[in-house]
Amino acid sequence: MYRIMVYSSPKDQLIFSNRIQGKALIEFEKDIRININETIKLERFSTNIELFSEAQAYNLGLNRKVCINKEGEIKNYLTHKSSFGNIMNIDVKNVIENKEFIKKWDVSNDDIEICKDCQYRYTCVSNSDIIEIKGKYYKEEICGFDPFTNNWAS
């Protein structure tokens, strides 16, 4: 299964799709380089059984995601510090076979401090980098929702 999304394309268009095999190539006009920092808010959440099921075991924001920045650096997401090589020097297939690269795919929100207490953990698609401190996982960027007070930051 693969889904490839290309940003900064001349127009939004579906190039190829096969729902049965779960394959798609989609182009978006949106330029994510303009604002690569995410804003987590309720309106961005999408609920369906496929995403809910995936969220039980995987990180919705990072699972099966490969990003290549304008310098060619291969990362889990554009804002992450860690690079797993440059597209000019390494095959993407080798990167996605690297255990360190795919490690974050398997860190579900149930495994992340604060997120594990959040009522939206199975719909949240945060791309925040995940850090491990003393055997516990944390997101580097804290979202605007506080699950303990049930309030969104203004």
Side-chain angles (χ1 to χ4, degrees), residues 27-41:
E27 291 186 344
F28 296 97
E29 190 174 354
K30 176 183 177 185
D31 187 345
I32 60 174
R33 295 171 299 182
I34 294 170
N35 184 6
I36 57 177
N37 295 319
E38 65 184 0
T39 303
I40 300 297
K41 46 185 160 175

Side-chain angles (χ1 to χ4, degrees), residues 53-130:
S53 298
E54 181 179 347
Q56 304 297 303
Y58 301 100
N59 187 295
L60 285 181
L62 301 177
N63 188 32
R64 298 174 296 167
K65 185 177 283 181
V66 178
C67 292
I68 302 168
N69 70 13
K70 62 184 175 183
E71 287 85 25
E73 298 299 315
I74 304 169
K75 301 179 173 200
N76 289 106
Y77 189 66
L78 295 174
T79 58
H80 294 193
K81 294 177 189 113
S82 296
S83 171
F84 294 87
N86 190 289
I87 194 69
M88 300 303 286
N89 307 319
I90 191 168
D91 190 329
V92 173
K93 183 179 181 206
N94 293 335
V95 173
I96 62 174
E97 291 173 348
N98 178 329
K99 288 181 181 177
E100 280 303 306
F101 182 79
I102 63 174
K103 178 181 178 180
K104 294 176 184 179
W105 295 3
D106 295 334
V107 181
S108 77
N109 283 337
D110 282 332
D111 302 322
I112 299 171
E113 298 301 310
I114 299 176
C115 298
K116 68 183 182 182
D117 296 311
C118 184
Q119 65 197 33
Y120 300 113
R121 69 186 174 276
Y122 301 127
T123 60
C124 183
V125 293
S126 169
N127 295 303
S128 177
D129 204 353
I130 299 168

Side-chain angles (χ1 to χ4, degrees), residues 3-5 9 11-19 23-28:
R3 230 179 353 200
I4 300 174
M5 292 173 247
S9 180
K11 64 180 181 176
D12 290 347
Q13 61 183 333
L14 178 64
I15 304 296
F16 171 80
S17 178
N18 183 325
R19 281 188 64 96
K23 297 179 178 183
L25 175 58
I26 309 164
E27 291 186 344
F28 296 97

